[in-house]
């Protein structure tokens, strides 16, 4: 039996797919390459297909699929504010197509790449899973309603899911075979590293008037390999227990934009210009995970700290910019 990894040619999907194969699982990567790279999908089999298309049935006919890890989605907060329909269609509506086909073929295990953006501006931090969900951008909203659809699906029976609410995924594969490569890049760490490597003149801080000690947004950065190991733990949980669950996935520590820039300067040994820009619409002040639930219930532990995250990202950055 195989695990279907949608979006397995993308950033988080490819790291998890590699980890699954190293752990002895067989996988089929399904990706339409609108964001992913075929050479990121070098573990398991690769199928070029859109999970929202009618061709999906053929994939379920061809392979004996045990469960689905669903990474394929759009994930830029800023773009979602500009193009909300794009996010609702791909992240929500197309996922309903995937769920329908899973039902038809009796595939009953599902892991969703959810997000801390479902919390909006949380009432208290660190954030626990039981806090009220009040997303403030269409990206978060699209994942929230997808979680709701999963809840209803599970209520119908013969279907279990784990929703993993990622905080800020960062860092890269230590072998540098795959890494973070978005086009356009919007994420903080790779953009700061672009400034360090001289690909851009400066890095802009989006807002210095947030309700945080240094005025810049605070996020909880988690190494992509820690995310990968959490998916394996979640899959084992679905195999062992006939139940569904929702977990935060973060390190439980927050770093401001300024602290990230300082860490990038330290790791790279480079100095570069830092500019102050307007706030980016849709950004909450602080997102830090209370990740005790996944630690207690799945026995999962993050292994990598911020310095390791930035070092691995820098190694990859140097490789793709070949200096
Ligand atoms: N950010 C920034 N300058 C940039 C890119 C991002 O100040 O060029 C800030 C952004 O406003 C947010 C934090 O860095 O507060 C993390 O943003 P990112 O896009 O990496 O992840 P997000 O939190 O949106 O998932």
């Amino acid at each position: 039996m195989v695990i279907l990894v949608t979006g397995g040619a993308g950033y988080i999907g490819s790291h998890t797919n590699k980890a699954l194969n190293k752990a002895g699982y067989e996988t089929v990567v399904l990706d339409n390459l609108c964001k992913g790279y075929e050479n990121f999908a070098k573990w398991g089999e690769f199928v070029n297909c859109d999970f929202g298309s009618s061709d999906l049935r053929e994939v379920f006919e061809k392979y004996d699929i045990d469960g689905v890890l669903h990474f394929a989605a759009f994930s830029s907060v800023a773009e979602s504010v500009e193009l909300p329909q794009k996010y609702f269609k791909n992240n929500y509506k197309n996922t309903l197509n995937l769920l329908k086909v899973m039902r038809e073929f009796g595939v009953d295990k599902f892991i969703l790449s959810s997000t801390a953006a479902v919390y909006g501006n949380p009432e208290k931090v660190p954030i626990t899973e039981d806090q009220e969900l009040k997303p403030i951008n269409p990206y978060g909203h699209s994942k929230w309603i997808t979680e709701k659809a999963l809840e209803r699906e599970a209520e119908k029976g013969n279907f279990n899911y784990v929703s993993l609410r990622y905080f800020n995924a960062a860092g890269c594969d230590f072998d540098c075979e795959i890494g973070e490569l978005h086009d356009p890049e919007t994420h903080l760490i790779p953009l700061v590293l672009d400034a360090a490597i001289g690909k851009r003149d400066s890095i802009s801080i989006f807002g210095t008037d947030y309700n945080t000690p240094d005025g810049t947004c605070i996020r909880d950065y988690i190494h992509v390999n820690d995310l990968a190991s959490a998916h394996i733990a979640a899959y084992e949980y679905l195999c062992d227990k006939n139940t569904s669950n929702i977990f935060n996935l973060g390190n439980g520590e927050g770093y401001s934009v300024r602290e990230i820039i300082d860490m990038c300067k330290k790791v790279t040994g480079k100095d570069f210009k830092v500019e102050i820009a307007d706030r980016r619409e849709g950004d909450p002040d602080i997102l830090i995970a209370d990740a005790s639930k996944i630690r207690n219930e799945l026995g999962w532990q993050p292994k990598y700290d911020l310095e390791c995250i930035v070092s691995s990202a820098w190694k990859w950055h140097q490789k793709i910019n070949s200096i």
Side-chain angles (χ1 to χ4, degrees):
M1 296 199 91
V2 299
I3 297 176
L4 186 71
V5 183
T6 77
Y11 171 46
I12 303 172
S14 64
H15 284 79
T16 305
N17 183 47
K18 178 176 177 179
L20 281 165
N21 280 272
K22 299 270 169 218
Y25 288 98
E26 283 185 37
T27 63
V28 173
V29 168
L30 185 125
D31 201 299
N32 68 0
L33 301 180
C34 76
K35 296 276 177 192
Y37 303 92
E38 194 167 344
N39 67 343
F40 277 26
K42 48 187 147 212
W43 300 274
E45 278 201 51
F46 174 68
V47 180
N48 188 334
C49 177
D50 188 318
F51 71 94
S53 80
S54 52
D55 297 342
L56 188 67
R57 289 191 77 261
E58 288 167 29
V59 180
F60 278 74
E61 260 160 21
K62 181 166 176 194
Y63 297 99
D64 189 12
I65 297 171
D66 185 50
V68 177
L69 268 61
H70 183 40
F71 296 93
F74 296 132
S75 62
S76 157
V77 168
E79 187 189 48
S80 81
V81 174
E82 287 295 307
L83 302 168
Q85 290 198 20
K86 178 175 172 180
Y87 278 69
F88 286 109
K89 177 168 186 304
N90 195 42
N91 295 1
Y92 173 64
K93 188 164 166 271
N94 288 350
T95 301
L96 298 184
N97 181 56
L98 175 57
L99 294 175
K100 186 166 146 255
V101 177
M102 285 179 67
R103 235 338 142 190
E104 196 183 326
F105 286 83
V107 179
D108 60 358
K109 294 187 266 303
F110 187 87
I111 298 182
L112 177 72
S113 298
S114 189
T115 168
V118 296
Y119 296 111
N121 261 314
E123 256 135 51
K124 56 179 176 58
V125 279
I127 306 167
T128 47
E129 289 85 350
D130 55 3
Q131 279 202 38
E132 198 183 342
L133 305 185
K134 289 189 280 186
I136 59 167
N137 55 59
Y139 169 56
H141 216 130
S142 71
K143 291 289 184 176
W144 177 45
I145 57 174
T146 305
E147 284 194 358
K148 284 285 152 205
L150 291 173
E151 199 181 312
R152 295 288 174 219
E153 207 57 44
E155 276 168 18
K156 276 168 55 187
N158 300 320
F159 177 87
N160 288 306
Y161 72 95
V162 169
S163 180
L164 295 174
R165 293 180 180 157
Y166 306 162
F167 283 64
N168 286 57
C172 299
D173 174 40
F174 298 115
D175 306 325
C176 271
E177 291 185 283
I178 46 180
E180 187 166 18
L181 192 58
H182 300 110
D183 183 21
E185 188 52 77
T186 60
H187 293 102
L188 181 64
I189 292 176
L191 286 175
V192 179
L193 297 180
D194 275 348
I197 216 160
K199 253 176 88 177
R200 46 191 299 140
D201 297 336
S202 63
I203 181 75
S204 297
I205 297 181
F206 296 151
T208 53
D209 59 349
Y210 285 95
N211 189 17
T212 62
D214 71 15
T216 69
C217 288
I218 292 179
R219 296 286 179 272
D220 178 338
Y221 295 84
I222 173 161
H223 196 285
V224 66
N225 283 353
D226 280 329
L227 287 181
S229 65
H231 283 80
I232 296 177
Y235 200 75
E236 286 167 357
Y237 173 87
L238 282 177
C239 292
D240 290 350
K241 304 221 169 37
N242 191 23
T243 185
S244 296
N245 221 327
I246 295 176
F247 299 106
N248 284 338
L249 253 189
N251 267 322
E253 277 178 61
Y255 293 93
S256 72
V257 175
R258 282 195 193 280
E259 286 172 325
I260 294 296
I261 293 171
D262 288 346
M263 180 58 83
C264 290
K265 287 188 174 177
K266 180 182 159 196
V267 166
T268 64
K270 311 270 183 197
D271 200 11
F272 44 84
K273 211 155 82 191
V274 177
E275 290 177 336
I276 309 302
D278 289 342
R279 283 181 175 214
R280 187 176 70 175
E281 206 184 322
D283 277 340
D285 303 54
I286 306 181
L287 293 172
I288 303 173
D290 179 328
S292 51
K293 187 176 171 196
I294 189 165
R295 287 171 192 244
N296 295 338
E297 294 192 31
L298 301 192
W300 168 87
Q301 292 271 21
K303 283 197 198 144
Y304 307 111
D305 65 8
L306 184 67
E307 187 158 352
C308 178
I309 288 171
V310 173
S311 306
S312 64
W314 179 232
K315 208 172 143 201
W316 166 252
H317 224 74
Q318 288 172 292
K319 179 182 169 180
I320 52 170
N321 291 288
S322 51
I323 58 163

